C-alpha cells in the first residue's frame, strides 16, 4: 500500500474538493465516471521505470510535487492582447481560449456555424446538453486506459468540444488554445477534448499549449477523436511550455471506413513532456498519418509514444517523427504498429530520425511491430546522427559561419515535418519559433562561434 | 596573390603533401596536374581549410595574409572559392536560400550592403546565363537529386555569383560529357579577369583544351616536380605521367 501511495503523489487529495465544488452540478453518470477513474488511480498508482512503457521516462519529478487543481476560473487578469500573440493572426478561425484550463468566452472568437455543428467548451456543454456528449465521451479513451488518463478523467471538467454532423465540412480551423498564466503557483490542469466528425464530414483542429509567463505547472490533456466513415480530420498539437512545466498528454483517435486522419504533434519544450498518440484504424480502407517533431535543450526530457492499431483490412498508415536534441537533453521515441489478424492488406510505414547536436544529448528510439496478419506491407526505420561534417564544410567554404551553417542544417532537418503542416499561419509561426530556438542550439559547443 | 612555400600536409596521419612551392598572380590560370594519389585534391582542400587535413609545415600567404590561420568561412569571405569534386547534397535547404546567405556573408565582410530578395534574384538571373543552368534548379534543395553534370554546373554558377578572387576547381571535369565540359569551361572562361586567378586541378588534359592555362604544374608524390607553359599539358597527354616520373627519377639520381 505504501508503495502505491508513493506512486499516486498528491493527486488524490484534491479530488473530493473538486467533486464538491466545480463539478458538483454535473450529471450523476459523469460523477460516477470520475469516481471510477480516481478509484482506478488509487488502486494502481502511476507507472514507474519498471513499466516497459515508461522505461526511459522517470515521472518522479511530477509525483514529488504538489500541484493544486485550478478549481474556479478567475481568468487571472488575462487580457485579449495577452493571448493575441498565440492566435497566429488567424482571425477567421474558431478560437477557444482556455486560461489555466478554464474556458474564457471573453477571450475566445466564435464565428457563426452550420446547423448542428457544435464548437464550444466541454464544461458548458456538459451543463447544458450532456446528452450530446455522452455517446462519445470516454469511448475512444476509457478512463482505465492508463494512470494519466484516469487522472484526467477524474478531474474531467473543461476542454474543447467539436461536433461535426454528417456531410458538413468546417472550413476554418478550430483552435483550442491552452494558456498557462504561470501566476497561480504550482498547479495542474486536465483538459479534455472531444472531437466528433460524423460520416463524410471534415474539420481541422489545432491544439496549442503555451504560457504567458514561466511557472511550474502540470498539464495532463486527453483528446479523443471519433471519426465516422469517409470523415476527414486534420489534427495539430503544438506544445511550447515553460521550462518548469510538466506535460503528459494523450491523443486517441478511432476511425471509420475510408476515413482520413492526419496528426502532427510538435513538442518544443517543458521540463518533461510525454505524448501518447494512439490511432485505431477501425474501418476498411482508413488512412492515418502521424507526423511529428520534438526538440529539447538543456536538461529537458521529451518522450513520444505512438501506437497505430490496424484492426481492419486495407488500411494504410504513414508515420515520420523527427527529434532534435541539444545539451544534455534526453529524447524517447517508441513507435508501435499492431496489425491484427483481420487486417490483411495493411500498409504501414514508419520512420524516426534523430539529430543529436551535443555529445551529451541522448535518444532512445524503438520501433515495435506486432503483426498478426500475413498479407501486409510494413516498413520501419530509425536513425540517430549528427550534423554532417561534409555539409558543414561545404557551407563554410561558401562563406557561411559555422554557427549559422549549423542552424541552417538543423532547420532543414526539421523542415520536412514543418512542410507537412497545411495551414499557413501555423507553418509560419512554427518557422519563426524554430528559427529562434535553433539559432541558440549547439552554442555551448563552439566557444566564440560566429 | 597566392604564395605557397614548402607546404606539407597529412591526412589521417599519412603525409600527402611533402613540400609544395608555387606562386599565383592575379590574372593567371594555373593547372595542377598529376596522377591519382599525387596530392592534387589534398592541396585544393588544404587551401579551402577542410578539417582533417593537417598542415605540418610550410606557409600559404594569400593577399598578404596567412591563409592557414583563417577559418574556412573567412577564407571564402576573403575571396577563396573551391569548386568541389563531389558537391555536397543538402536536402531541405534551397539553392536560392543557400546562395543568398553565402553572398550576403561575403558582401558584409567586404563592407557592401546585403542584397534583398529582389536584387538577389535579378543578379542570379544574369548569372544563370553564364553556365546555361535551368532556373528551376534554384528552388530545389542544394544539389539534392542533381545529376553529376548539374552539380558541376551549380558549382560554377555559385562561383559566378560569389565572384571569388581565387577560384580552385577540383577535378571539375571528372565525369562530364563533352557538351557539359564545354559549357562549364565556357562559364569559367567568362569569369577570367585580370584581377582574378584560377587554379585548375585535373588528372586529364582534356579540360585544358577549353580552359587554356598560363602555367602547368605537375604534382607527383606530394611535390611539384615540373612546371611549364600550356605546352607541358600537351606533352603529358602524349607521353603520360610516367615520363615525368622517369625524368624526375633521373635527376634525383
Amino acid at each position: 500500500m505504501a508503495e502505491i501511495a508513493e506512486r499516486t503523489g498528491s493527486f488524490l487529495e484534491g479530488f473530493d474538493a473538486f467533486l464538491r465544488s466545480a463539478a458538483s452540478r454535473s450529471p450523476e453518470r459523469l460523477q460516477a465516471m470520475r469516481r471510477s477513474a480516481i478509484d482506478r488511480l488509487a488502486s494502481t498508482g502511476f507507472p514507474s521505470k519498471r513499466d516497459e512503457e515508461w522505461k526511459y521516462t522517470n515521472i518522479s519529478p511530477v509525483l514529488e510535487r504538489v500541484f493544486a487543481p485550478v478549481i474556479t476560473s478567475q481568468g487571472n487578469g488575462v487580457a485579449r492582447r495577452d493571448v493575441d500573440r498565440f492566435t497566429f493572426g488567424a482571425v477567421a478561425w474558431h478560437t477557444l481560449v482556455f486560461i489555466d484550463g478554464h474556458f474564457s468566452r471573453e477571450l475566445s472568437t466564435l464565428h457563426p456555424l452550420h446547423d448542428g455543428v457544435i464548437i464550444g467548451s466541454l464544461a458548458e456543454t456538459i451543463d447544458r446538453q450532456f446528452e450530446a456528449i455522452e455517446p462519445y465521451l470516454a469511448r475512444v479513451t476509457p478512463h482505465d486506459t492508463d494512470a494519466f488518463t484516469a487522472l484526467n478523467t477524474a478531474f474531467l471538467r473543461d476542454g474543447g468540444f467539436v461536433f461535426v454532423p454528417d456531410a458538413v465540412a468546417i472550413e476554418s480551423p478550430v483552435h483550442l488554445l491552452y494558456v498557462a498564466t504561470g501566476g497561480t503557483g504550482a498547479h495542474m490542469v486536465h483538459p479534455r477534448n472531444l472531437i466528433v466528425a460524423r460520416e463524410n464530414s471534415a474539420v481541422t483542429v489545432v491544439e496549442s499549449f503555451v504560457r504567458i509567463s514561466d511557472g511550474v505547472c502540470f498539464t495532463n490533456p486527453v483528446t479523443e477523436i471519433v471519426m465516422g466513415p469517409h470523415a476527414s480530420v486534420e489534427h495539430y498539437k503544438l506544445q511550447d511550455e515553460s521550462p518548469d512545466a510538466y506535460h503528459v498528454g494523450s491523443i486517441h483517435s478511432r476511425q471509420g471506413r475510408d476515413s482520413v486522419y492526419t496528426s502532427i504533434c510538435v513538442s518544443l519544450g517543458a521540463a518533461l513532456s510525454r505524448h501518447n498518440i494512439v490511432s485505431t484504424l477501425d474501418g476498411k480502407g482508413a488512412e492515418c498519418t502521424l507526423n511529428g517533431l520534438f526538440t529539447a535543450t538543456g536538461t529537458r526530457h521529451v518522450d513520444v509514444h505512438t501506437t497505430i492499431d490496424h484492426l481492419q483490412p486495407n488500411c494504410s498508415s504513414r508515420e515520420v517523427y523527427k527529434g532534435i536534441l541539444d545539451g544534455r537533453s534526453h529524447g524517447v521515441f517508441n513507435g508501435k504498429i499492431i496489425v491484427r489478424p483481420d487486417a490483411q492488406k495493411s500498409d504501414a510505414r514508419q520512420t524516426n530520425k534523430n539529430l543529436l547536436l551535443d555529445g551529451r544529448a541522448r535518444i532512445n528510439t524503438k520501433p515495435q511491430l506486432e503483426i498478426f496478419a500475413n498479407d501486409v506491407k510494413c516498413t520501419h526505420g530509425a536513425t540517430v546522427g549528427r550534423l554532417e561534417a561534409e555539409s558543414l564544410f561545404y557551407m563554410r567554404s561558401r562563406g557561411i559561419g559555422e554557427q549559422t551553417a549549423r542552424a541552417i542544417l538543423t532547420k532543414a532537418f526539421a523542415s520536412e515535418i514543418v512542410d507537412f503542416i497545411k495551414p499557413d499561419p501555423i507553418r509560419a509561426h512554427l518557422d519563426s519559433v524554430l528559427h529562434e530556438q535553433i539559432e541558440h542550439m549547439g552554442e555551448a559547443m563552439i566557444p566564440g562561434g560566429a | 596573390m597566392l604564395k605557397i612555400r614548402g607546404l606539407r600536409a597529412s591526412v589521417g596521419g599519412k603525409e600527402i603533401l611533402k613540400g609544395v612551392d608555387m606562386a599565383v598572380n592575379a590574372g593567371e590560370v594555373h593547372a595542377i596536374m598529376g596522377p591519382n594519389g599525387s596530392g592534387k585534391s589534398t592541396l585544393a582542400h588544404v587551401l579551402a581549410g577542410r578539417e582533417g587535413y593537417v598542415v605540418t609545415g610550410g606557409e600559404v600567404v594569400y593577399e598578404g595574409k596567412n591563409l592557414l590561420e583563417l577559418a574556412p568561412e573567412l577564407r571564402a569571405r576573403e575571396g577563396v572559392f573551391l569548386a568541389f569534386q563531389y558537391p555536397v547534397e543538402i536536402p531541405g535547404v534551397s539553392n536560392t536560400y543557400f546562395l543568398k546567405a553565402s553572398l550576403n556573408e561575403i558582401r558584409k565582410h567586404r563592407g557592401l550592403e546585403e542584397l534583398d530578395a529582389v536584387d538577389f534574384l535579378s543578379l542570379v538571373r544574369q548569372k544563370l546565363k553564364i553556365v546555361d543552368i535551368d532556373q528551376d534548379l534554384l528552388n530545389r534543395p542544394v544539389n539534392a537529386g542533381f545529376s553529376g553534370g548539374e552539380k558541376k554546373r551549380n558549382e560554377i554558377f555559385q562561383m559566378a555569383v560569389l565572384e571569388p578572387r581565387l577560384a580552385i576547381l577540383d577535378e571539375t571535369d571528372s565525369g562530364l560529357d563533352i557538351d557539359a565540359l564545354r559549357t562549364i569551361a565556357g562559364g569559367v572562361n567568362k569569369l577570367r579577369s585580370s584581377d582574378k586567378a584560377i587554379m585548375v586541378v585535373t588528372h586529364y588534359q582534356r579540360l585544358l583544351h577549353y580552359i587554356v592555362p598560363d602555367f602547368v604544374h605537375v604534382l607527383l608524390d606530394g611535390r611539384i616536380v615540373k612546371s611549364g607553359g600550356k605546352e607541358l599539358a600537351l606533352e603529358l597527354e602524349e607521353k603520360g605521367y610516367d615520363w615525368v616520373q622517369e625524368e624526375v627519377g633521373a635527376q634525383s639520381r
Side-chain angles (χ1 to χ4, degrees):
Chain A
M1 249 346 250
E3 195 173 321
I4 286 171
E6 271 169 36
R7 306 303 300 174
T8 56
S10 65
F11 292 106
L12 303 186
E13 280 129 51
F15 181 70
D16 289 335
F18 168 74
L19 268 200
R20 279 195 308 273
S21 61
S24 63
R25 284 177 297 137
S26 298
E28 182 45 39
R29 291 189 300 276
L30 180 55
Q31 293 288 54
M33 188 193 290
R34 288 171 175 144
R35 275 189 222 103
S36 313
I38 204 80
D39 288 349
R40 139 83 202 211
L41 184 62
S43 66
T44 61
F46 285 96
S48 71
K49 290 184 88 167
R50 283 192 300 266
D51 292 87
E52 189 61 27
E53 292 289 296
W54 292 85
K55 199 171 167 184
Y56 301 109
T57 296
N58 179 8
I59 52 162
S60 299
V62 178
L63 303 184
E64 283 158 8
R65 281 185 172 274
V66 177
F67 298 98
V70 183
I71 300 236
T72 52
S73 158
Q74 307 101 339
N76 246 317
V78 177
R80 189 168 267 269
R81 65 174 185 281
D82 298 319
V83 296
D84 270 355
R85 63 190 155 120
F86 303 120
T87 58
F88 316 121
V91 289
W93 292 12
H94 310 277
T95 303
L96 276 66
V97 177
F98 299 84
I99 303 299
D100 294 327
H102 290 275
F103 177 63
S104 163
R105 186 164 279 281
E106 303 78 61
L107 299 175
S108 297
T109 305
L110 293 163
H111 299 289
L113 298 166
H114 271 279
D115 281 353
V117 174
I118 305 172
I119 296 175
S121 139
L122 189 77
E124 288 187 6
T125 318
I126 287 171
D127 294 345
R128 288 184 202 151
Q129 44 178 145
F130 186 61
E131 67 287 356
I133 291 174
E134 201 183 10
Y136 306 103
L137 187 66
R139 301 299 157 111
V140 179
T141 319
H143 75 269
D144 58 356
T145 304
D146 59 57
F148 286 97
T149 299
L151 178 66
N152 173 283
T153 310
F155 286 93
L156 185 157
R157 172 76 187 141
D158 213 346
F161 178 52
V162 177
F163 180 89
V164 192
D166 292 354
V168 172
I170 301 182
E171 271 180 41
S172 296
V174 178
H175 186 187
L176 309 175
L177 172 55
Y178 289 93
V179 181
T181 59
T184 46
H187 65 283
M188 58 178 176
V189 294
H190 307 279
R192 181 71 166 229
N193 301 308
L194 178 59
I195 298 157
V196 181
R198 302 264 309 194
E199 183 163 354
N200 199 28
S201 67
V203 64
T204 297
V205 177
V206 183
E207 281 177 49
S208 61
F209 296 86
V210 299
R211 88 286 195 177
I212 287 177
S213 56
D214 290 353
V216 181
C217 69
F218 171 51
T219 309
N220 173 221
V222 171
T223 297
E224 293 183 85
I225 302 172
V226 191
M227 296 174 65
H230 296 275
S232 163
V233 172
E234 258 182 66
H235 180 259
Y236 298 92
K237 177 174 179 179
L238 308 176
Q239 180 242 332
D240 187 5
E241 291 170 293
S242 153
D244 297 316
Y246 301 92
H247 184 112
V248 180
S250 295
I251 303 167
H252 291 246
S253 58
R254 181 177 290 270
Q255 294 180 243
R257 180 169 42 86
D258 295 319
S259 61
V260 180
Y261 171 60
T262 306
S263 156
I264 294 182
C265 175
V266 178
S267 179
L268 301 178
L272 183 155
S273 59
R274 160 78 173 234
H275 302 274
N276 298 310
I277 299 167
V278 180
S279 174
T280 305
L281 296 158
D282 193 13
K284 278 184 188 174
E287 290 173 22
C288 81
T289 304
L290 306 188
N291 291 336
L293 174 69
F294 51 89
T295 68
T297 57
T299 56
R300 292 178 175 199
H301 183 98
V302 56
D303 176 346
V304 176
H305 266 62
T306 69
T307 302
I308 299 174
D309 196 349
H310 285 255
L311 284 184
Q312 301 284 340
N314 296 93
C315 293
S316 69
S317 61
R318 296 288 178 270
E319 178 170 23
V320 183
Y321 262 82
K322 286 193 163 186
I324 300 173
L325 301 161
D326 191 26
R328 284 183 288 139
S329 66
H330 185 190
V332 180
F333 176 81
N334 192 100
K336 189 191 281 186
I337 297 173
I338 309 170
V339 181
R340 305 279 173 183
D342 287 342
Q344 298 295 356
K345 307 278 182 197
S346 289
D347 178 2
R349 288 181 215 166
Q350 180 195 87
T351 312
N352 169 234
K353 291 182 185 164
N354 302 287
L355 184 57
L356 304 183
L357 296 175
D358 191 312
R360 299 165 302 172
R362 282 185 300 149
I363 175 82
N364 293 95
T365 173
K366 188 168 102 184
Q368 221 181 322
L369 305 184
E370 296 175 8
I371 300 175
F372 304 101
N374 49 31
D375 185 13
V376 302
K377 265 191 276 182
C378 216
T379 64
H380 64 89
T383 62
V384 179
R386 293 169 198 287
L387 291 177
E388 301 259 352
E390 289 264 321
S391 309
L392 277 174
F393 176 63
Y394 191 65
M395 299 183 89
R396 295 176 75 189
S397 80
R398 298 296 181 257
I400 298 172
E402 181 163 5
Q403 180 66 19
T404 309
R406 285 177 169 277
I408 290 173
L409 290 175
T410 306
K411 209 157 161 256
F413 178 81
S415 71
E416 183 185 354
I417 302 299
V418 177
D419 290 347
F420 281 128
I421 295 174
K422 286 189 200 148
D424 292 334
I426 307 179
R427 214 175 43 244
H429 167 79
L430 197 56
D431 245 343
S432 74
V433 172
L434 276 174
H435 188 82
E436 175 86 359
Q437 197 183 59
I438 288 170
E439 261 197 337
H440 299 292
M441 284 185 171
E443 268 176 348
M445 296 187 68
I446 312 156
Chain B
M1 178 181 277
L2 181 75
K3 280 200 177 65
I4 304 175
R5 284 193 210 99
L7 181 64
R8 306 174 84 92
S10 56
V11 182
K14 189 175 179 235
E15 187 167 59
I16 309 287
L17 298 183
K18 300 173 179 172
V20 173
D21 295 280
M22 70 181 287
V24 177
N25 297 308
E28 295 174 352
V29 174
H30 289 246
I32 317 281
M33 302 187 69
N36 289 333
S38 59
K40 305 186 299 289
S41 282
T42 300
L43 176 61
H45 281 114
V46 166
L47 293 178
R50 177 169 209 135
E51 260 175 58
Y53 289 69
V54 185
V55 174
T56 51
E59 63 169 5
V60 179
V61 179
Y62 166 75
E63 303 275 35
K65 293 186 181 76
N66 179 352
L67 188 71
L68 301 176
E69 267 183 358
L70 301 177
E73 57 268 37
L74 288 174
R75 299 183 196 196
R77 292 173 197 168
E78 289 285 339
V80 177
F81 178 91
L82 172 67
F84 282 54
Q85 181 179 5
Y86 305 109
V88 180
E89 299 193 5
I90 312 180
V93 179
S94 86
N95 240 337
T96 314
Y97 180 86
F98 172 59
L99 204 48
K100 184 162 170 269
S102 302
L103 180 64
N104 280 334
E105 290 286 1
I106 291 168
R107 288 180 66 93
K108 242 190 317 193
H109 186 76
R110 292 181 187 165
L112 299 169
E113 224 173 280
E114 294 184 40
L115 292 188
D116 62 18
V118 179
D119 290 342
F120 176 73
L121 209 64
S122 73
L123 172 80
V124 153
R125 287 224 178 87
Q126 208 182 304
K127 303 287 186 183
L128 280 170
K129 291 176 205 145
I130 290 177
V131 277
D132 188 23
I133 210 169
D134 193 355
Q135 193 168 344
D136 291 350
L137 227 69
L138 288 176
N139 302 320
R140 283 164 53 186
V142 179
N143 294 323
F146 286 26
S147 70
E150 281 174 333
K151 283 183 184 171
K152 297 293 174 77
R153 258 177 229 220
N154 197 27
E155 294 291 289
I156 305 306
F157 169 61
Q158 290 177 13
M159 173 179 160
V161 173
L162 301 179
E163 298 186 318
R165 281 196 274 260
L166 173 67
I168 304 158
L169 312 185
D170 186 13
E171 309 255 3
T172 297
D173 49 340
S174 67
L176 291 185
D177 63 39
I178 196 72
D179 287 337
L181 189 70
R182 219 179 262 141
T183 315
I184 280 171
V188 173
N189 285 330
K190 282 180 207 150
L191 301 171
R192 285 174 85 149
S193 79
S194 61
D195 60 345
K196 294 188 173 99
I198 299 174
M199 289 170 69
V200 181
V201 172
T202 181
H203 182 100
Y204 302 104
Q205 185 272 344
R206 198 167 67 127
L207 177 66
L208 305 178
H209 281 305
Y210 303 98
I211 304 173
V212 181
D214 301 301
F215 300 95
V216 174
H217 309 275
V218 180
L219 194 64
L220 266 185
D221 193 27
R223 281 186 197 90
I224 288 175
V225 294
K226 195 171 179 67
S227 298
K230 61 181 183 234
E231 62 288 342
L232 177 56
L234 295 170
E235 214 172 342
L236 284 169
E237 179 173 48
E238 210 176 291
K239 301 185 189 166
Y241 288 109
D242 291 348
W243 155 71
V244 191
Q245 211 139 16
E246 279 160 28
E247 196 182 277
V248 174
Q251 277 170 9
S252 59
R253 239 172 264 144

